[in-house]
Amino acid sequence: MSNLVSVPKNGSLSNNNSNTNFPSVSNWLEDIFNRDLPSVLTSNFNTGLSLPKVNIKDTADAFLIEMAVPGFKKSDFNIDLDNEVLSISTETKEENEQKEDNYTRREFGYASFKRTFNLPETVDDEKINANYKEGILSILLPKKEEAKQKPIRSIKIS
């Protein structure tokens, strides 16, 4: 709520004057419930990472997952394959401490995400590889030979 209002000593929130800066109770409640609740609750906190955006390409020979995750190192990622479920996750912690004559300021942050993908049976899981370059994590999921698209061929009629 952007307006500051002094509440009378009796605790009443009714609008007895014509001051248009004073929100009515119904407007105030509507404002609260029509907001994006997570942003209201976390607007003053370090919320860490949001879920990274992903592009998935299906080509004749492979699937390619591209994930936008700038600011990381290759060693920050965990990529696991368990029962045809590919999991990509990261976890970062940061701590800063600043000491002056009469105060100490300490800040810390934590951020993590995990994305999972159910892989089709057509993926050759022995040949999966990953690459991280310029903020893009790319994971190549080659298809099994029998699942690859065959080129179009003409069949002659006898």
Side-chain angles (χ1 to χ4, degrees), residues 1-150:
M1 195 162 71
S2 61
N3 297 325
L4 294 176
V5 178
S6 60
V7 178
K9 289 185 181 184
N10 66 5
S12 169
L13 287 179
S14 63
N15 188 359
N16 293 331
N17 60 24
S18 62
N19 185 355
T20 58
N21 289 332
F22 188 85
S24 68
V25 174
S26 63
N27 287 345
W28 180 72
L29 288 173
E30 187 175 313
D31 186 39
I32 288 175
F33 290 110
N34 286 335
R35 285 189 189 172
D36 182 23
L37 194 56
S39 69
V40 171
L41 296 176
T42 62
S43 61
N44 294 324
F45 298 100
N46 179 4
T47 58
L49 296 174
S50 60
L51 211 50
K53 303 291 184 189
V54 174
N55 290 332
I56 301 176
K57 296 178 186 175
D58 183 1
T59 67
D61 297 330
F63 296 98
L64 177 64
I65 297 175
E66 294 176 320
M67 183 178 292
V69 282
F72 288 93
K73 301 178 297 237
K74 287 190 272 187
S75 60
D76 292 335
F77 296 101
N78 296 314
I79 303 173
D80 300 309
L81 182 63
D82 183 23
N83 244 358
E84 297 180 357
V85 175
L86 181 73
S87 299
I88 305 163
S89 62
T90 188
E91 181 178 327
T92 60
K93 297 176 185 176
E94 181 180 326
E95 290 190 29
N96 295 319
E97 189 170 334
Q98 185 179 25
K99 291 187 178 187
E100 298 285 330
D101 291 337
N102 58 352
Y103 74 91
T104 299
R105 179 178 136 188
R106 184 173 178 204
E107 295 183 7
F108 60 94
Y110 174 83
S112 69
F113 74 83
K114 183 174 185 176
R115 296 284 312 252
T116 59
F117 303 92
N118 292 319
L119 300 183
E121 293 179 10
T122 58
V123 171
D124 187 349
D125 60 1
E126 297 297 320
K127 296 181 180 177
I128 295 173
N129 65 54
N131 181 24
Y132 183 67
K133 184 177 180 184
E134 296 180 6
I136 304 293
L137 177 64
S138 301
I139 302 173
L140 184 67
L141 307 163
K143 294 180 180 177
K144 296 176 182 175
E145 282 301 319
E146 60 271 14
K148 291 181 182 178
Q149 291 179 343
K150 307 279 189 230

